[in-house]
Amino acid sequence: MGGGINNSGEIQGITFAGLHMGGGSLAGGIANQVNATIAGVLEGIALSRGTVVGGLTNAGLISSTTTAALRISTANIQGGINNAAGASITGGPSAISMWAADIRGGITNAGLVQAAGAALFDNASRITAAIDNLNGT
């Protein structure tokens, strides 16, 4: 799919994830704009077995009430993950959960990444650039 996903409103998963990508390729990245929300009961965003070219940028809120706000499982993100100043990624047991993920471009946080357990959980992932916390929490 080309053109990416650009959210400036609210994407709400009432029973499952707010946004779920289960394979395939997305060119143009995922952008959650200022004052925008992507939320779900299971995950805010779940990426499984696919590729996102253009990275994932959050300037709003990505959240989950019961699991990770952002779950990346055997997926590839080219362009990294960027949580901007004033933005939040909040989850239940973890905020960002990575399982055998391939993150090309690193992870940058200037906002809030928060969970009841691990803010960032990783199991056998590859991150090809730095994990930077730039005045974020």
Side-chain angles (χ1 to χ4, degrees), residues 68-73 94-99 101 119-122 125:
L70 173 58
R71 180 178 56 84
I72 307 156
S73 178
S94 61
I96 300 171
S97 179
M98 299 180 297
W99 296 81
L120 177 62
F121 174 84
D122 175 48
S125 296

Side-chain angles (χ1 to χ4, degrees), residues 100-112:
D102 185 4
I103 312 296
R104 298 179 189 183
I107 300 171
T108 302
N109 176 47
L112 174 69

Side-chain angles (χ1 to χ4, degrees), residues 45-74:
I45 298 175
L47 305 174
S48 304
R49 298 175 312 275
T51 299
V52 175
V53 178
L56 189 150
T57 302
N58 179 44
L61 172 65
I62 299 172
S63 69
S64 169
T65 56
T66 59
T67 63
L70 173 58
R71 180 178 56 84
I72 307 156
S73 178
T74 62

